[in-house]
Amino acid sequence: MSKTAVYPNDPRIHVDGPHLLRLGLNSGAISLLPRQPAQSILNGRHASRLRGRGLNFEELRNYLPGDDIRTIDWKVTARTGEPHVKVYTEERDRPALLLLDQRVSMFFGTETFMKSVIAAEAAAIIAHRVLGQGDRVGGIVFGDTDLAEHRPQRRAAALTRFLSSVGALNSMLNASMQPEPTVTLNNVLTQAIRIAHNNTIVCVFSDFDGLDAASEELIRRLAASNDLILFNISDPSSKALKPDLKLTVSDGNQQIELDSSDPELSIRISAAMEDRLDQLQLWSRRYGFPIVPLTTAEPTLKQLLKLFGHQGGRQ
């Protein structure tokens, strides 16, 4: 629950489909293609993880002057006595699967925005860009008890349906929710493995509440044959609670009052969040996928532009 008063239709608290559709207008500078700006968070050691579109085998034909010798099929060449090359064409598109967390743990923010809003807007911006670069986009939007699956498609109507699901689950979040969770993060990662077979861009937008030992194997499998990117949504309170801050926090079953004047409380909260981030960073190094850090303190698009190499958050 945010310390900020909740106003009807306040985009800091809730977002809807039309709002998410409008985000595409200013997101053109962001790209998930292999070529990245020098300062992009996806550059450097993670650049090789962005595979780009795959290749389809087209035909086998006689070698012609100027052909790349690396395409020669040596088995066929040896059998026929004449050099032959394999011809490939680039795939028309590649799928992107966006996993968006809208559980009650995401309905929290001590600064400007709710974590659920930052996650929803970030997923919407990335979805716009995936479709804009000619690739297929789909996703899994999940709450504590609800889940909407959208298989990747290269159609504007599919993007609209995905964003409508995002808006619908986001609008259901409220501070008085006490659901009995039937959907877990691991459930969604398992479902993603069934959909993302190979060379898929898999983006996860979450605070990664509920991360456990079983999550590592699921994340390893997703990263092994796909481009996996984790968007970690956090609140500044995970580092240190502001003085004289009183919060009501719920895990969906129990509700407690937190008083930041207790120094031990602030230390315990920070330690718990650091442990979760340390775990993600360990897996990032081990399996070679990037973590994109997002906070509730700044507008989503500004953060993404800066993280993707546009200085100061400007296009």
Side-chain angles (χ1 to χ4, degrees), residues 57 60-62 69-86 88:
F57 174 72
L60 188 68
R61 62 165 172 78
N62 289 329
I69 63 172
R70 291 174 297 182
T71 64
I72 292 178
D73 187 318
W74 295 105
K75 290 184 178 180
V76 175
T77 297
R79 188 171 65 248
T80 63
E82 296 182 357
H84 282 71
V85 296
K86 289 181 177 179
Y88 295 88

Side-chain angles (χ1 to χ4, degrees), residues 280-292:
L280 288 175
Q281 290 175 339
L282 173 63
W283 296 345
S284 171
R285 294 189 297 270
R286 183 174 293 169
Y287 305 119
F289 60 81
I291 298 175
V292 179

Side-chain angles (χ1 to χ4, degrees), residues 92-104:
R92 286 192 313 163
D93 54 26
R94 68 184 302 208
L97 189 69
L98 313 184
L99 314 182
L100 174 58
D101 189 347
Q102 293 290 281
R103 293 175 295 168
V104 72

